[in-house]
Amino acid sequence: MNAESEPLEQPATALMPGTVALEFYNPEHFSLVQLVHDTVMGGRSEGSVKAVSEPAGLRFFGNLSLANNGGFASAEFKLAKALAPHIYRSIKLNIAADGRQYQLRLKTPYIPQGVAYVADFNSTKDKQSYYFTPADFNGRYRGRLVTNLPELRLADVSHVSVMLADQTSGAFSIVLYSISLSPAQAI
């Protein structure tokens, strides 16, 4: 995974043929946003999602608490429609964040409940594009590595989430603009 600065407002014509661009704020792209925090296990972290403009996106923000063995907060987005059955080779995530380490988490119907394909990334305090390939992801369940999962096929992704679990208590904020999947190695 690597991060490179570039403008987030690219015309649709700049996308490579076969690329799927999904905007986090667009209900035609994501049908459901679910917040899942450590409170499900007694923790005290909290978070919310709020629409922002210029450029349009969703801000996921709150407070990460390590109390009561807590320490994670996440926002999960369900795709409104299945992805076209292409071979996607890379992902580009467009965000603006607070400099903390986050996780990009992908779920497919072919893995057990609670398991996700996870890639960690260190955010910066600027708008950034982060690039991933399937090789950047590994299976995890409650922070533990899971092996013997099916190979991650990006066309099978049904849910996308961003999680904060960096073991640092305090306020957090990340603005999610878009995520793109491309048949090329780099978008």
Side-chain angles (χ1 to χ4, degrees), residues 48-117:
S48 301
V49 174
K50 180 180 180 181
V52 297
S53 59
E54 297 182 37
L58 286 180
R59 180 175 173 239
F60 173 46
F61 62 100
N63 187 59
L64 191 71
S65 171
L66 303 180
N68 294 349
N69 295 316
F72 73 88
S74 67
E76 182 176 89
F77 301 82
K78 181 179 180 188
L79 273 68
K81 297 184 259 185
L83 295 170
H86 295 299
I87 297 175
Y88 300 105
R89 298 187 194 289
S90 64
I91 294 174
K92 179 170 79 171
L93 177 66
N94 295 313
I95 66 161
D98 52 14
R100 296 180 72 165
Q101 183 182 63
Y102 288 87
Q103 298 174 359
L104 175 61
R105 303 171 66 86
L106 307 176
K107 292 183 180 177
T108 75
Y110 307 112
I111 58 177
Q113 175 103 15
V115 175
Y117 295 100

Side-chain angles (χ1 to χ4, degrees), residues 131-145:
Y131 296 87
F132 305 88
T133 67
D136 294 320
F137 292 84
N138 57 49
R140 293 191 207 161
Y141 176 74
R142 295 186 178 175
R144 294 188 185 104
L145 191 62

